[in-house]
Structure formats: C-alpha cells, structure tokens
Amino acid sequence: MDFHAFQEYLDAAFGDKYNFAQQAFPIMKEAVSLFVQANCARLGHSRSGSSFELVQCEFSMDDDFKPWLIDVHTNPSLDTYCQVLEKVIPGVIEDALKHTVDVLFPPPLEWPESKHHLMVTKNREDGFVLIF
C-alpha cells in the first residue's frame, strides 16, 4: 500500500483525525535519518568517494498510528510483483540514477528540448526527500 492509499484508508476509517503526511512521515524521516547517520561509514563506501546505496526501509504502525522502523534492507528487491511496486520501482530507479550518476556525468547541454525532462533540476517533483 502506498502513502496515498493508506491516507485514503485512514480517512475512510477515522475521518480527518489523522494526517499521515504531517504526523507519521516526519517520524519516519527522522528514523531513516538516524539509521543513515549511524551507518554512513558502512553504506556506499568506495575509494573514489562517489557511490550511492539504495535501501529499503520497512515500517509498522502501532495502534496509535505511530510508525516504527522495523527493518532496513541494504540490498532491496526491485521486483515488480504487485501493482504498487509496478508503479513505484521504475521511478525509484530513475530518480536514484538521476540524483547520483547524472550529477557526476551530466547530459550534454545541447540535448534536444524533448529530453530536458530527464535532467536533474533543483525543482524536483520526484519522491526523493532530503533527510539531513
């Protein structure tokens, strides 16, 4: 279930008492930030200093809708065996490469206008969030 579908469920079950984006997401962001800070020496290490690591964080919600980080996969599956993953995984891969590889090896400035949407911009509309 993606965030949007989960918010729809919350709205249907509990009315507008719980806003996932305002109440749970900041806690999730903080948990991931703490994980990365605690493990940054082990994540994405290379001699060149240019590397990245894609991680999958799994959360569970308690009865009070507080999110808990329960697992982090440093080698997540990129299978698209359900509708949510068919929607999410291609964008995750595209955006991860856009924010890592394309920064080091930018596309040529004379790219045709039809390909400019592939270039990294400061006004991103992808799902990447700066955590620290």
Side-chain angles (χ1 to χ4, degrees), residues 94-95 98 102 107 111-121:
E94 177 72 29
D95 293 340
K98 194 185 308 181
D102 288 356
W111 258 23
E113 187 68 34
S114 64
K115 292 189 177 186
H116 280 210
H117 70 282
L118 300 172
M119 299 171 73
V120 177
T121 64

Side-chain angles (χ1 to χ4, degrees), residues 36-102:
V36 171
Q37 291 176 50
N39 294 283
C40 64
R42 290 177 256 179
L43 294 172
H45 182 69
S46 77
R47 284 190 226 165
S48 70
S50 299
S51 61
F52 72 96
E53 182 130 9
L54 184 63
V55 297
Q56 173 188 353
C57 299
E58 294 182 10
F59 287 86
S60 181
M61 303 287 282
D62 66 17
D63 290 340
D64 296 321
F65 300 108
K66 181 178 179 186
W68 294 90
L69 179 62
I70 58 172
D71 201 0
V72 178
H73 300 277
T74 57
N75 188 15
S77 171
L78 299 177
D79 287 338
T80 56
Y81 55 84
C82 69
Q83 287 181 346
V84 170
L85 294 178
E86 284 178 3
K87 179 181 173 186
V88 172
I89 295 296
V92 167
I93 294 169
E94 177 72 29
D95 293 340
L97 294 174
K98 194 185 308 181
H99 293 291
T100 55
V101 176
D102 288 356

